[in-house]
Amino acid sequence: MTPDERSRLESLDTVLRSENVRGQIRPIVERVRAQLARKKQALMAWEPIPLTVFGHALPPEIRSAWVFVLRAGADTGAERHPNSHQRMMTFRGSGDMQTGEPERWQSNVLISNPDAPLEWRWISIPANDWHRPVVGKDEDWAVVSFHTVVADELIEEKPDSSRKDGTKQMKYLRAKRAN
């Protein structure tokens, strides 16, 4: 991790340590957890966080924030965001945000202990880098994710060998509205 990137994550970490901010995020986490509980076949559920929750404390390149809750035992498979740099921290629970390439994954176990080192709680994933969330079987994993693209434009890309370009894309908010 570069010193500049570490500084960005430390800045975001400071914002998320605010009890005021955490107090506004907790109800979103509970709403998303309830949504996931209702959708028995879903591996995860999500909701954007209004940037006003963070006041004026976010770095200027942050254009959207999200809560994702991943089901206990889930492996959502490889994905990447071609149009966004993702910075993500564990809010509740733990999981392994594997990075790299399919068949050559590198483990990045993240935990929600606020006293743990930054690298154990946060991950930075540049645009177009493959990643794969894998969740332990004991509890759902709630994360807060920051992106450099507005919520309406966030693209998830997954491998798809049936397509000419080898991938399929979806926009998170469009997929949510379709459900």
Side-chain angles (χ1 to χ4, degrees):
M1 178 182 322
T2 68
D4 282 348
E5 187 58 22
R6 180 172 191 80
S7 177
R8 277 186 197 87
L9 293 182
E10 287 171 345
S11 173
L12 291 169
D13 193 58
T14 297
V15 172
L16 281 174
R17 284 181 180 272
S18 158
E19 193 50 45
N20 177 46
V21 169
R22 293 182 77 77
Q24 293 180 71
I25 292 175
R26 280 187 200 102
I28 299 171
V29 170
E30 292 310 314
R31 238 184 351 261
V32 175
R33 284 173 54 106
Q35 178 187 54
L36 183 63
R38 287 190 303 273
K39 297 180 177 181
K40 300 295 183 198
Q41 301 305 315
L43 296 177
M44 66 179 173
W46 58 87
E47 181 179 317
I49 303 170
L51 292 183
T52 55
V53 164
F54 306 101
H56 298 288
L58 294 177
E61 67 270 15
I62 301 299
R63 307 286 310 281
S64 65
W66 301 76
V67 165
F68 287 87
V69 177
L70 298 102
R71 188 177 305 284
D75 177 346
T76 66
E79 66 179 67
R80 65 183 177 187
H81 305 290
N83 65 341
S84 181
H85 188 126
Q86 178 179 5
R87 293 167 177 98
M88 188 195 86
M89 68 87 68
T90 295
F91 193 81
R92 187 180 299 155
S94 63
D96 185 3
M97 183 57 86
Q98 299 177 2
T99 57
E101 295 286 330
E103 309 306 322
R104 292 193 306 259
W105 294 110
Q106 293 180 339
S107 181
N108 300 281
V109 174
L110 302 174
I111 62 174
S112 59
N113 179 346
D115 297 324
L118 186 82
E119 296 82 2
W120 295 8
R121 297 178 291 113
W122 283 88
I123 190 165
S124 177
I125 306 168
N128 266 328
D129 279 12
W130 289 104
H131 52 284
R132 173 184 172 198
V134 179
V135 186
K137 297 193 183 320
D138 294 337
E139 67 178 323
D140 294 344
W141 186 23
V143 304
V144 175
S145 184
F146 294 93
H147 285 270
T148 56
V149 67
V150 296
D152 283 336
E153 296 301 318
L154 181 59
I155 295 172
E156 175 193 82
E157 191 170 70
K158 289 191 160 280
D160 185 346
S161 60
S162 70
R163 296 182 177 239
K164 187 168 80 170
D165 65 359
T167 63
K168 69 176 177 181
Q169 292 185 346
M170 74 160 201
K171 289 187 178 176
Y172 279 103
L173 289 184
R174 189 171 298 147
K176 189 174 191 83
R177 288 182 196 118
N179 288 333

